[in-house]
Amino acid sequence: MSQSIDVAINYSPSPASSVDSDDNGELSVAPSDIDSLLHLQRDQRAQHDAYSIHQIDVIGCVQMKTYGRYHRRARANDINFNLKLGLENANEWGNRFEPYRNLSQKDRNLVLSEFGFGFLLIDQGYKTAQRADDGYWLLQNDTFMHPDYFFALSEEDAMKENAHQKAEFHFAFVNELVKCVSDPFKKLQIDEFECATLKTILLLTPSFPGQVVYKDIDYLHNKFMSELMEHCAQKSPENGPERFGEIILLISSIRCGVKAIYNQTRVSDMFHLMTFDPCVKNIFLS
């Protein structure tokens, strides 16, 4: 990774992420305008592609008709890796904004406990809408989850204790992610600009008011809302306001997906909290 998740979650400004050096060699904060965020998003997604797995000689590998690539069934280590990567990316995004940088470590972790997982669901949902066949859910490294827990599962794992009970929870979980995030993304044909704006609005509007107090965010929030409205009007001249409203409503759907992730940590071997990287576990427990 470009920087370790330990550094990212325990925030320390780094020229590789949220700051640049000026002509005098002094550190200055990287810009948070939409063009700069789009550039950051493309860099992060290029990083995801570099980690992509497209093996065709392992158990649990299928070829997607939509995109033509081979994808492997996600394993527990893929879940841990992608959660870790998503939180790193979300923290890097947050560090572009002074209100986030000025938070205490405890409050940044609290923000990441919702925003971080919502952020990675936006990236996964976008990739799923663009590349996956119906019913599949793609992670950043292109491994997949399928509602059928036994689909592409090894015979040995299928025979493990409580497999059928796990299958019921897994079915509900993957279907909820698809219903809440990737299906609406596909229906609305959500683009990169809208992904970047959704991430930013999610960052600036935590759903636990009073627990985290941002300073001076009204201008930023209004700025990105206005830019999204303008973008929707340009993209859909006949129903720009309606599109804007539908995109804003996705925030609630994404938060439902975040809740589903937390619920899954209580019942899934793939999302077992005790197997996660300590930094990921720390965010879950914030």
Side-chain angles (χ1 to χ4, degrees):
M1 295 185 185
S2 60
Q3 58 177 4
S4 73
I5 190 72
D6 300 18
V7 172
I9 300 306
N10 299 296
Y11 167 62
S12 176
S14 164
S17 58
S18 63
V19 293
D20 295 312
S21 297
D22 61 21
D23 293 337
N24 297 320
E26 297 180 355
L27 296 181
S28 58
V29 177
S32 60
D33 61 277
I34 190 62
D35 288 337
S36 298
L37 293 173
L38 283 168
H39 182 76
L40 173 61
Q41 181 172 256
R42 293 185 190 111
D43 283 349
Q44 290 179 342
R45 288 179 173 175
Q47 179 190 42
H48 301 170
D49 288 340
Y51 292 126
S52 293
I53 298 171
H54 298 289
Q55 297 166 298
I56 60 174
D57 58 347
V58 295
I59 296 173
C61 190
V62 299
Q63 185 178 26
M64 297 283 173
K65 297 177 182 178
T66 301
Y67 206 63
R69 287 186 174 182
Y70 286 87
H71 297 262
R72 175 173 59 72
R73 186 185 192 274
R75 301 164 183 161
N77 63 313
D78 294 305
I79 301 298
N80 182 51
F81 175 82
N82 285 287
L83 289 174
K84 192 174 180 180
L85 178 60
L87 289 171
E88 177 185 273
N89 290 164
N91 185 71
E92 185 178 18
W93 194 277
N95 284 335
R96 293 295 182 100
F97 296 88
E98 186 175 0
Y100 178 84
R101 292 195 305 272
N102 288 340
L103 293 175
S104 67
Q105 180 64 57
K106 178 181 178 181
D107 283 350
R108 282 197 298 272
N109 284 356
L110 187 58
V111 169
L112 285 172
S113 70
E114 177 184 72
F115 165 65
F117 300 116
F119 184 100
L120 67 89
L121 286 181
I122 291 171
D123 278 336
Q124 292 177 0
Y126 179 81
K127 175 172 278 193
T128 299
Q130 294 285 318
R131 302 183 181 182
D133 293 348
D134 289 345
Y136 289 83
W137 179 265
L138 292 181
L139 307 185
Q140 297 101 303
N141 71 343
D142 276 355
T143 56
F144 72 82
M145 293 191 295
H146 189 276
D148 183 355
Y149 179 77
F150 297 103
F151 178 75
L153 185 67
S154 68
E155 184 175 343
E156 179 183 357
D157 288 335
M159 297 297 292
K160 287 183 177 179
E161 186 180 3
N162 298 327
H164 286 279
Q165 185 179 24
K166 292 174 184 176
E168 293 180 13
F169 292 123
H170 184 82
F171 177 84
F173 172 61
V174 177
N175 277 335
E176 183 159 13
L177 295 185
V178 170
K179 180 184 72 174
C180 289
V181 186
S182 63
D183 276 355
F185 272 40
K186 184 181 293 186
K187 177 184 176 183
L188 290 170
Q189 297 182 329
I190 294 294
D191 59 30
E192 291 184 341
F193 184 103
E194 290 157 347
C195 282
T197 308
L198 276 170
K199 291 172 179 175
T200 303
I201 295 172
L202 188 65
L203 169 68
L204 297 175
T205 57
S207 66
F208 28 82
Q211 295 188 53
V212 174
V213 180
Y214 278 132
K215 293 182 179 179
D216 304 321
I217 68 162
D218 288 345
Y219 166 75
L220 285 170
H221 181 257
N222 292 337
K223 173 178 177 286
F224 283 96
M225 292 286 278
S226 297
E227 288 180 345
L228 177 60
M229 174 65 86
E230 182 179 348
H231 176 81
C232 289
Q234 293 176 350
K235 186 171 181 176
S236 304
E238 295 183 359
N239 62 345
E242 290 82 0
R243 180 177 183 82
F244 172 82
E246 288 181 298
I247 291 174
I248 293 301
L249 287 175
L250 287 175
I251 296 289
S252 296
S253 296
I254 292 164
R255 286 185 173 132
C256 287
V258 172
K259 183 178 180 180
I261 290 176
Y262 275 85
N263 290 337
Q264 193 69 357
T265 64
R266 301 187 181 100
V267 298
S268 172
D269 52 347
M270 291 176 61
F271 282 81
H272 197 289
L273 191 60
M274 293 302 105
T275 66
F276 289 154
D277 181 274
C279 293
V280 175
K281 189 190 307 182
N282 186 42
I283 299 302
F284 269 109
L285 298 176
S286 293

